[in-house]
Amino acid sequence: MKLGRTLCVALTGLEGRLVDVEAHISAQLPHFSVTGLPDKACGQAPDRVRSAAATSGYPLPPQRITVNLSPASIPKQGTGFDVAIALATLAAAGVVDARRIAGVAHLGELGLDGSVRGVRGILPSVLAVAKAGIRHVVVPPANVAEAQLVDGVTVHSAANLATLVEWYAVRSGFASLPVAEHVHDDAEEGRRSVDLCDVVGQAEARLALELAAVGQHHLLMNGPPGVGKTMLAERLVTILPPLSRDQALQTHAIRSLTGDAIRASELDLTPPFVAPHHSASVAAISGGGSGVVLPGAISRAHCGVLFLDEAGEFKTSVLQQLRQPLESGEVTIARAKQLVRYPAQFQLVLATNPCPCGRAWGKGIDCVCSALELRSYQAKLSGPLIDRVDIQVIVPPVSRAAFGDDHGEPSAVVLERVLCARAAQVERWVRHGWPTNAHVPGHALRRRPWRLGGAVTASIDRALDHGALTLRGYDRTLRLAWSVADRFGRTTPSADDVGLAFTLRSHGKAAA
């Protein structure tokens, strides 16, 4: 037998495509080549495969070996093709049974000693395998836990190439492949021990945080250093509803692509919380990189929270990069040979000081910033980006009197109210396809049957006429008003709800 064939997966973003790995051996001068648009890492597979096969006791024949990765028109990236290439080649050499490996997907990198090493992107790869109808997949031991998150696929794992050859050897017949042991590691359980009751005072900011959770609104907190802005942002995920299974699979798939270890074989339903440093580049935030296009912070925060602390310190280009994903819910990265799309439906939380030194609070007599520095700092958080942020609040200093107050409500109590409010939104919007108030188009709220009466919207009507609100701001205030009504158990916003929404949208601008 001079031809061997098995399966692997090529990833473009989160999308996986099944690849036929074909190996052919011919009686010509020794040469080992891989065709089908491999990148540099994939193109170096022959050296790894030949050494791994030799150290495993199954040296490849000194002949011409040609491996084709079909379809050859799509790029193949990374070292995850090594195991498939090795088995297809050994099948062509007559060492393993070609019929047994033909319907099994093989993922993993080979060490020179024959060991099978973990690779990125196992979860989206196994999802693609399941979607294609393949029922058996072999993965490295380091990736078993995330592979077992996918239903409908039997996961197998081998520590080295010699073990795989023993499974598939011609003399072994058609015995069933051993199933990988179920992996469970509870190291991630309880990793979020924070609670909203840890926050002292800040009643208005706590209400703003709850409303952000109710309607999935973006939030800006403006205030001097040390008043609890970061504490509040970190606790937003404790009052957000748990993820659905599909959402959790997407967030775990993104983690798999970025190389984050997934140790537990049960889905973590906690929304992700991503807080990049203010020195992060555009590629680190939106995604990119040379060679393999990896997801950035906005995709890692998909279905969760993206927190930009010290937002005024971020580069203007980084902040403006957020505008398009906030509207579309995805980020598109164009390269010469491919177009990669990653999901990016996140809640944006911004925390900023009133000035670079942080002391332009109240009368600002201690501020040492020049007028130019102050103007430049505040200009970063203005215009089109901030117009997309529904809630903008001041977080003032905490007085000593707040120490004696009873602790605020714990996250569990607030979460119950959020779940009730979300249920009301589902009942109201589900037949239209809108999951929360933040996703309702503005034109829908300005038309019957959802249009509010003139007496209810009088405050924002005047603000729109006087130029204090843009039309986008007007629509976002209406969305927030519906969230206020849902939070307090009302079926329709009142004038007070609209007034509170308008105040929460514009209050944060007054801090400077």
Side-chain angles (χ1 to χ4, degrees):
M1 181 68 179
K2 296 297 183 181
L3 183 65
R5 180 183 287 114
T6 188
L7 300 172
C8 198
V9 176
L11 290 175
T12 302
L14 285 182
E15 297 296 321
R17 183 166 180 178
L18 216 59
V19 171
D20 283 321
V21 181
E22 305 166 318
H24 179 264
I25 299 178
S26 58
Q28 300 180 27
L29 291 176
H31 182 68
F32 197 154
S33 63
V34 177
T35 64
L37 287 184
D39 68 354
K40 188 171 183 178
C42 184
Q44 294 170 342
D47 295 329
R48 293 189 296 271
V49 169
R50 189 180 291 278
S51 297
T55 55
S56 300
Y58 305 96
L60 300 181
Q63 296 176 302
R64 183 178 183 87
I65 302 172
T66 303
V67 173
N68 181 49
L69 307 178
S70 177
S73 59
I74 61 174
K76 319 299 187 307
Q77 299 171 335
T79 58
F81 295 86
D82 286 5
V83 173
I85 291 173
L87 289 175
T89 304
L90 289 171
V95 177
V96 302
D97 194 316
R99 294 170 296 175
R100 297 196 67 198
I101 67 170
V104 181
H106 296 89
L107 309 169
E109 175 186 331
L110 285 177
L112 299 185
D113 59 352
S115 60
V116 180
R117 297 173 178 172
V119 293
R120 292 178 175 180
I122 286 292
L123 181 54
S125 297
V126 177
L127 286 170
V129 168
K131 185 177 180 181
I134 305 301
R135 291 294 168 255
H136 296 273
V137 61
V138 176
V139 302
N143 300 124
V144 168
E146 57 183 298
Q148 289 175 336
L149 295 173
V150 182
D151 294 331
V153 177
T154 303
V155 177
H156 313 276
S157 180
N160 50 61
L161 181 61
T163 302
L164 286 170
V165 173
E166 291 175 6
W167 289 356
Y168 295 123
V170 175
R171 65 179 183 275
S172 67
F174 280 81
S176 298
L177 300 180
V179 179
E181 293 184 3
H182 186 77
V183 175
H184 179 73
D185 185 347
D186 58 3
E188 294 190 2
E189 294 182 2
R191 59 189 172 92
R192 296 199 182 278
S193 58
V194 297
D195 196 282
L196 197 56
C197 66
D198 300 333
V199 179
V200 176
Q202 305 298 5
E204 183 182 50
R206 288 172 60 95
L207 175 61
L209 199 73
E210 183 176 348
L211 291 174
V214 164
Q216 216 170 8
H217 303 284
H218 306 307
L219 171 65
L220 165 67
M221 294 180 285
N222 195 336
V227 297
K229 301 188 296 293
T230 302
M231 285 186 68
L232 285 162
E234 290 175 343
R235 283 149 181 79
L236 176 56
V237 292
T238 67
I239 60 174
L240 288 176
L243 302 178
S244 67
R245 178 174 176 80
D246 288 343
Q247 289 174 329
L249 279 173
Q250 274 196 318
T251 61
H252 281 63
I254 293 170
R255 288 177 55 190
S256 178
L257 279 178
T258 58
D260 290 346
I262 301 175
R263 298 186 297 271
S265 58
E266 295 181 2
L267 287 174
D268 181 8
L269 302 183
T270 305
F273 179 83
V274 180
H277 191 262
H278 59 73
S279 62
S281 64
V282 171
I285 297 296
S286 62
S290 59
V292 180
V293 180
L294 295 177
I298 59 177
S299 294
R300 290 188 284 113
H302 178 59
C303 297
V305 176
L306 176 66
F307 176 48
L308 301 188
D309 200 4
E310 305 293 346
E313 299 293 340
F314 280 80
K315 297 176 184 176
T316 303
S317 58
V318 171
L319 294 174
Q320 298 308 316
Q321 187 74 17
L322 300 173
R323 289 163 53 182
Q324 183 267 335
L326 284 175
E327 293 291 338
S328 66
E330 69 173 11
V331 59
T332 303
I333 304 168
R335 290 291 183 267
K337 296 182 179 179
Q338 59 183 329
L339 189 68
V340 179
R341 289 184 173 87
Y342 286 115
Q345 295 180 352
F346 59 91
Q347 270 187 269
L348 178 63
V349 178
L350 303 168
T352 185
N353 297 327
C355 69
C357 76
R359 288 178 282 183
W361 181 256
K363 295 182 179 180
I365 57 177
D366 296 327
C367 179
V368 297
C369 303
S370 66
L372 181 60
E373 290 174 327
L374 192 61
R375 189 180 304 112
S376 176
Y377 189 82
Q378 294 175 351
K380 288 187 177 181
L381 296 178
S382 61
L385 174 62
I386 296 304
D387 203 35
R388 290 170 165 82
V389 179
D390 299 353
I391 307 176
Q392 305 171 24
V393 295
I394 296 174
V395 186
V398 179
S399 66
R400 189 166 58 90
F403 295 170
D405 294 343
D406 293 334
H407 290 295
E409 292 177 311
S411 295
V413 174
V414 179
L415 177 58
E416 286 297 322
R417 286 201 300 267
V418 171
L419 292 174
C420 290
R422 287 285 184 101
Q425 293 172 60
V426 169
E427 184 178 353
R428 182 167 59 242
W429 307 124
V430 66
R431 62 182 179 273
H432 303 287
W434 306 319
T436 61
N437 292 329
H439 293 87
V440 181
H443 62 80
L445 296 178
R446 287 181 268 109
R447 298 174 183 171
R448 298 189 182 278
W450 311 114
R451 181 176 178 178
L452 303 177
V456 175
T457 61
S459 59
I460 58 175
D461 290 342
R462 287 193 298 270
L464 181 64
D465 291 338
H466 296 160
L469 268 182
T470 63
L471 182 58
R472 181 193 289 125
Y474 184 94
D475 291 340
R476 289 185 175 274
T477 304
L478 286 177
R479 294 171 185 153
L480 184 54
W482 279 95
S483 294
V484 174
D486 290 333
R487 189 283 185 202
F488 290 103
R490 290 187 277 272
T491 56
T492 305
S494 64
D496 290 340
D497 294 335
V498 174
L500 176 58
F502 184 40
T503 300
L504 288 174
R505 177 171 174 79
S506 58
H507 201 181
K509 298 177 181 177

